[in-house]
Structure formats: C-alpha cells, structure tokens
Amino acid sequence: MVVTVEDVKKLAKLSKISMNEEELNQLTEDMQKIISFAHEINDACDGEFEFTDINNIINVFRDDIVEESFDRKEILSGVNGGEDGFFAVKKLI
Amino acid sequence: MDRMSKISYIHDLLTKKQMSCEEITKKYLEAIDNHNKELNAYITVTKDTALESAKRIDKKISLGEDISMIAGIPMTMKDNISTKGILTSCASKMLSNYVPIYNATVFDLLNDNGSILLGKTNMDEFAMGSTSETSYYGATSNPHNLDCVPGGSSGGGAAAVAGNIAVYALGSDTGGSIRQPASFCGVVGFKPTYGTVSRYGLVAFASSLDQIGPITTSVEDASIVYDVISEYDPKDSTSRGRNQEITFKLLKNSIKGKKIGIVDDFFEYTNENIKGHVEQAIKVYESIGAEIVHIKMSSIKYALPVYYILACAEASSNLGRYDGIRYGYRTPKYRNIDEMICKTRDEGFGKEVKHRILLGTYVLSSGYCDEYYKKAQKMRSIIIDDFKEAFKLCDALIAPTAPKTAFTKNYISEDPMEAYANDVCTVPVNIAGLPAISLPCGSDKDGLPIGIQIIGNRFCDGEVLNIAYAYEQETKNTSFKSVDMGVRL
C-alpha cells in the first residue's frame, strides 16, 4: 500500500484542514509508515466471526421528557455573545 | 510523613484541627508559585476559588460538621475535564479561549465532597501523545529529572503529584495516558473499568476508549478518589457506575491463593532493566501467597495497530466539531465559510492532532473502511475474547506499564512509529475496557522510576486495587523514591 501526496491532499480536503507543501510531504512520509503498520492486522483476521459487544454496555436512553437546557446567552458566551442571539460569521456576499 | 495515604493524613490534620484547610491550601499554592516555572505542570492556577473553597471547609470543621475523606484536599484536574467558568483548553490553540458553561460530572462529584481545585494541568494536545510535549502551552518536565518528559498525555497531573504541588490529580486514559505518566513520574495511576466513571464533560478523543481516573501517591488514595467519582451518571449513555459498594473496604483483604497471570507478549519491547524489576515484583507476590500462572494471548501483538486505527477513526469524527463557529479559536482572515473552517483547523490544531485526524479519515474513507476499520473492530473482538479466556485462568495479570523509563525531551518526536510503540503495554487494556493500575516498583540506574501494571477483569476494580495494595504494603518505601520539592507536611 503506497500513500501518495495526492492521497494526503484528498484526506486534508475531506478533513477540512488546509496544509502547506512542507506539511503535506512530511505527513505523506509519516502516513506511509503508519499505514503499513496498520496493514499488519489485515492478514491476521481473514475469517468470518461474530462481533463481541465492545464494552458490554447497552446504550441507556432517558425518558423523552422536555427539560430545561442551557441558557442561550450562556451558550453564546463562547463567541463574545454572538449577534441577536445567533452565532455569527463575517458577511460573505 | 508516611507516604502511604496522603489523603487520610491530611484528613486527620484537618479533623484533629492541627492545621486549617486554608493553611494547607496556601502551602500548595505557594509551592506551585515556586515550582511551576520549572515543571510547567499547570496551565491554569485557580488561586481565588481554591482559597474560597478552603474557607468553606474550615467553617464546616469549626461547626463540628462531618466532612468527607476528600474534603479540603488540594487537587488538580487535566485540562480536558470541563470546569464551569474555568479555561478548559485541552492544551490546544483551538480551545485556548474556551471557558465551559457546565461542569464535568466528576468535578461536580468532587465539589459535592468538598474538594479544593488548585488548577488545571498540562497535557498532550487533545490527549494525543505520550510525552506531554505536544501542548500548545509548552512541554511539562519530569520532577525526577527536569530534562526528561513526564510521560503523557496526563503528564501535567503526574508531574504535579510527583512534585508535591497537588495531593492528587484526575487524568484521562485512552491508551495509557494515566498509567504511563504515573510510571514515568513514580506515582500511582489508576484507569478504571470503562463505564464506571462518567465521561460527561470529558472532551472526547476516542469515546469507546476514554476513561477518567486518579493519579495519586498511594493505592489507598487511588481507591479513596475512585470511590467518590465512580457513580452512575444518566448524562453518559455508557455509564454503569462501579460494581462493588466501596473499593476502600477491600484493600486489606489477603491475596493468599490469588492467581496472577503473566503474558509474555507484554514484555516483548521491554528493556532488560524493567523486565528485571517486574520479575522482582512477581517474586514479592509469590512471597505473600499469590500463585503465578503463565498465559498465552496471541492477539496482544495486534493491539497497537488496532488501537491506532480505532482511536484515530473516533478522533477524526469527534474533532469534526471544531469549526470555529460556536466556540474556540477562529481564523481572523477568510473569504468564505469553507476557507474559514479549513484555516481555523489548520491554525488551531497542532501537528500530532492533524496527523491523527487524517489517519482516522483515511481508515474510514470508502475503499479503505473494510480493509482497516472493520478489520480492526474484528480484531478488537478477538482481543476481548482472549482477555475473557485469560481471566478464567487468573484473577489479575501483571505486566510492565511502559517498555522504557522516561526519555529525554525531544527524543522520539522524529519517528512516529517509535513513539506509538511506547504504548504497547497499556493499549490492550483500553481496547478491552478493563481496569488497570500502575504503581512504582523501583528505579533504573539513572534514578528514573519504573512502574508495574496490574490488570483486572471488567468491573473488578476493587480486586485490582487490593492486589496493588498488597504489593505496596509489602515493599513499603523501597519501591518509591520521593522528589525533594513542593509541599512537605
């Protein structure tokens, strides 16, 4: 399995991370090493078998009752209060 | 003072009115002032709230009210555990301005019991790393040798406890992040069974592996803190709470006749010096009546690739939320929304975090998902089954915590594979959701601490603590080297 700069560029696009050439080259090299290492398990588990429930834990649902949530002002405190009760980004058009 | 339980020692000082909580808290704050520059263990120090809380405890004591064992004990939490009104940065530029509007459940439980929060500790960015060097706030140093790393990712907490600038710390463990720094800093680190401690308010890295736990100077303290934080929490959909009523009561049980298993695969990358110390510890166990059994677990050698595939896959999804819109860092210059998100993520995340997001995206992308992610899930099942079989033959497993002692700063940053291999003894435990503890068992020729790891079956947290406690009692201070800094009580 060969990882190319083009592969990493595509991954960066999918992950929404912009990257310069230097970072891309370094990452391609590192990714190649990591992927060939990850490949090890490929040959080891070819056969068919059942999944074990991973943590022996069943998802717990709460009753569907409307409860009080966080205050809008508090939530917007992470972006200096937002604008008119909304999250805001710069005007783009 | 006898190091065995700092918490009960301070509890006695407080209840016998030999020292006030304010006096003790001030001592710790002063020690942080003196030593945090060299250790860089704390990202934030919460001096004012710590002193206010201390005064409240003193008032309770003066009124003759009963206080819990951890009331008035100065402690710290890793900076990925949410604290209302207090910066929770995950040691990342991305969250360098993030002040949560709610508390993690563990912090609420500690607060209800009168804990004194001294501050928030340094870590690898988003808990991704095993050296605490990837922090946006700079690397933490090991109190045993300032040129060495304290391990990671909960390196700040381990360094604070070892350097006596906190009585105990809460860390998080996704692939060894509590146990490995505890081992590097010569303290105790306990990773509880998955589901026993609520993850609500823990900033997610890999949700099926993450677990909060204590870093302390003794097994007894680990048990005291665990008993407080291991409550069922309806806010965490995978929460179960602990099985036993109180693990503290189990500590003094004899371990005569207990079967302790050794799996050779855990020793594969371990250096001879550490092997020697673990073998010595095994002899101690034999001398106090434990029976040693050898167990084969052929799947252990695949634990590392399984871990990195699954942890990165989950991380790539969990870290998708950082888009610069609702909280955290946002790039100042952009032309459109897409550019805003991409630049925010490029500028906000460090190299290791980007690495893991991209790797996770790779193993989840169409065409590769069957080859990597699904096969890793299958192998995870095989590893879990192998552990189930192993625990039919023994009560607990013994292994090294890390294959090497603390390395010099910047040592492994060049080769990502060598860094990952350092987690070889700890990741199998997270893959199977088991409880495991690391405790000191001596030091190498340079005086750097070595840790042994006791691994138990799911929900047998009390058993793990009991077996660790028996070793600690038997070896007393011979396996523990304290550091000459910080608070002396």
Side-chain angles (χ1 to χ4, degrees):
Chain A
M1 184 68 229
V2 180
V3 182
T4 64
V5 175
E6 287 311 309
D7 290 333
V8 179
K9 265 188 192 163
K10 190 186 162 201
L11 291 174
K13 199 180 164 198
L14 288 170
S15 319
K16 293 213 178 289
I17 296 176
S18 55
M19 257 180 211
N20 62 37
E21 283 298 312
E22 195 192 329
E23 276 180 309
L24 276 173
N25 289 331
Q26 166 82 54
L27 249 171
T28 309
E29 208 180 294
D30 287 349
M31 284 278 289
Q32 178 65 59
K33 286 184 198 160
I34 298 166
I35 292 296
S36 22
F37 166 67
H39 211 72
E40 276 178 29
I41 52 168
N42 227 333
D43 309 325
C45 60
D46 259 349
E48 283 297 315
F49 48 85
E50 292 290 307
F51 276 107
T52 300
D53 56 330
I54 301 299
N55 274 305
N56 212 9
I57 282 171
I58 310 155
N59 193 44
V60 184
F61 293 99
R62 65 167 170 79
D63 294 330
D64 191 15
I65 300 164
V66 179
E67 287 172 20
E68 204 172 315
S69 188
F70 293 106
D71 181 70
R72 183 182 284 236
K73 266 188 192 156
E74 267 191 311
I75 290 171
L76 289 165
S77 65
V79 285
N80 295 325
E83 274 177 43
D84 303 325
F86 293 97
F87 293 109
V89 291
K90 271 188 216 164
K91 192 174 175 184
L92 300 169
I93 305 165
Chain B
M1 118 188 199
D2 177 7
R3 76 151 185 119
M4 283 306 155
S5 172
K6 265 194 186 176
I7 293 180
S8 36
Y9 182 79
I10 296 176
H11 179 75
D12 278 354
L13 286 180
L14 290 172
T15 49
K16 288 177 184 158
K17 297 183 182 168
Q18 288 166 333
M19 266 181 110
S20 74
C21 184
E22 194 178 349
E23 276 176 277
I24 293 170
T25 305
K26 275 184 177 162
K27 267 183 180 281
Y28 275 92
L29 289 167
E30 203 177 293
I32 294 171
D33 264 350
N34 292 335
H35 298 291
N36 198 43
K37 241 183 206 151
E38 50 188 343
L39 291 180
N40 198 24
Y42 283 83
I43 290 175
T44 306
V45 179
T46 50
K47 189 179 172 183
D48 295 342
T49 49
L51 288 171
E52 275 169 36
S53 314
K55 280 178 193 158
R56 270 201 300 276
I57 296 297
D58 282 333
K59 197 171 175 196
K60 271 191 165 186
I61 295 168
S62 70
L63 291 170
E65 288 178 32
D66 276 344
I67 57 165
S68 107
M69 200 67 169
I70 61 155
I73 310 290
M75 50 75 65
T76 176
M77 293 202 302
K78 190 173 180 178
D79 213 21
N80 60 351
I81 301 174
S82 297
T83 41
K84 189 175 178 177
I86 302 165
L87 176 73
T88 300
S89 73
C90 284
S92 177
K93 182 179 180 183
M94 186 61 93
L95 291 178
S96 54
N97 59 356
Y98 173 61
V99 178
I101 57 169
Y102 68 100
N103 280 338
T105 298
V106 285
F107 189 42
D108 275 339
L109 288 168
L110 292 177
N111 274 338
D112 292 348
N113 281 276
S115 259
I116 311 290
L117 180 75
L118 293 167
K120 303 288 294 290
T121 42
N122 209 353
M123 54 187 278
D124 280 297
E125 184 181 4
F126 281 103
M128 296 176 187
S130 41
T131 65
S132 298
E133 289 175 295
T134 66
S135 166
Y136 176 60
Y137 298 92
T140 301
S141 303
N142 190 318
H144 291 270
N145 180 341
L146 298 176
D147 295 327
C148 289
V149 300
S153 64
S154 311
V161 174
N164 305 305
I165 53 174
V167 177
Y168 69 91
L170 285 194
S172 67
D173 192 315
T174 306
S177 286
I178 288 174
R179 291 160 287 155
Q180 185 256 22
S183 145
F184 277 19
C185 292
V187 291
V188 173
F190 180 47
K191 181 248 170 237
T193 301
Y194 183 85
T196 56
V197 178
S198 168
R199 290 181 296 109
Y200 180 74
L202 171 68
V203 178
F205 161 15
S207 311
S208 79
L209 303 159
D210 296 340
Q211 190 62 190
I212 295 175
I215 297 170
T216 58
T217 47
S218 69
V219 176
E220 200 173 331
D221 284 355
S223 159
I224 292 170
V225 177
Y226 173 71
D227 284 340
V228 173
I229 60 174
S230 52
E231 294 288 339
Y232 167 71
D233 180 17
K235 289 176 184 157
D236 170 2
S237 63
T238 55
S239 168
R240 279 273 292 264
R242 69 174 175 274
N243 249 14
Q244 294 90 1
E245 213 168 289
I246 280 182
T247 63
F248 189 68
K249 283 186 182 162
L250 304 172
L251 289 188
K252 289 180 178 141
N253 289 351
S254 159
I255 65 152
K256 223 173 193 153
K258 291 272 178 207
K259 286 184 179 159
I260 297 181
I262 300 169
V263 178
D264 289 339
D265 299 81
F266 275 107
F267 291 79
E268 200 187 329
Y269 300 95
T270 307
N271 75 30
E272 288 306 315
N273 194 340
I274 294 177
K275 260 186 205 168
H277 275 84
V278 180
E279 279 159 14
Q280 223 25 64
I282 293 167
K283 281 188 187 141
V284 171
Y285 273 115
E286 277 181 308
S287 76
I288 51 175
E291 190 188 323
I292 304 299
V293 288
H294 287 266
I295 292 168
K296 275 205 171 341
M297 284 183 71
S298 52
S299 62
I300 288 293
K301 58 177 172 290
Y302 300 110
L304 259 189
V306 166
Y307 171 78
Y308 276 96
I309 291 170
L310 298 181
C312 292
E314 291 185 31
S316 74
S317 164
N318 274 329
L319 273 66
R321 71 190 67 172
Y322 302 107
D323 53 13
I325 295 175
R326 291 151 303 151
Y327 50 85
Y329 173 78
R330 183 190 293 178
T331 187
K333 282 186 185 162
Y334 53 90
R335 286 168 299 186
N336 55 51
I337 283 284
D338 204 49
E339 189 179 275
M340 185 194 94
I341 296 173
C342 291
K343 277 181 76 183
T344 293
R345 289 165 68 79
D346 180 33
E347 292 160 17
F349 290 136
K351 183 179 152 195
E352 183 62 29
V353 174
K354 286 185 213 168
H355 244 101
R356 299 203 194 192
I357 292 175
L358 260 61
L359 183 65
T361 309
Y362 182 88
V363 298
L364 288 176
S365 59
S366 80
Y368 299 111
C369 185
D370 285 343
E371 199 174 341
Y372 296 109
Y373 183 73
K374 286 188 182 162
K375 289 225 164 128
Q377 287 289 20
K378 281 185 181 175
M379 188 49 87
R380 183 177 193 177
S381 301
I382 296 175
I383 294 170
I384 291 171
D385 289 343
D386 269 7
F387 270 116
K388 276 185 188 160
E389 289 304 312
F391 287 117
K392 285 180 187 165
L393 304 170
C394 67
D395 299 290
L397 296 168
I398 186 167
T401 306
K404 291 175 186 163
T405 48
F407 19 81
T408 333
K409 286 178 184 164
N410 301 319
Y411 168 63
I412 54 165
S413 301
E414 294 309 312
D415 183 358
M417 293 322 301
E418 199 183 334
Y420 293 172
N422 194 45
D423 301 336
V424 69
C425 305
T426 46
V427 294
V429 166
N430 301 75
I431 288 172
L434 307 172
I437 193 167
S438 174
L439 66 159
C441 70
S443 43
D444 69 5
K445 62 178 183 0
D446 300 318
L448 292 165
I450 297 171
I452 46 161
Q453 193 181 193
I454 307 293
I455 304 164
N457 205 353
R458 262 184 200 159
F459 298 105
C460 295
D461 300 73
E463 178 108 275
V464 168
L465 289 161
N466 172 227
I467 290 174
Y469 182 76
Y471 173 82
E472 193 184 63
Q473 288 300 303
E474 191 59 24
T475 55
K476 294 275 181 198
N477 293 320
T478 56
S479 57
F480 182 81
K481 202 174 126 244
S482 64
V483 181
D484 190 22
M485 67 161 70
V487 177
R488 303 264 149 203
L489 288 170

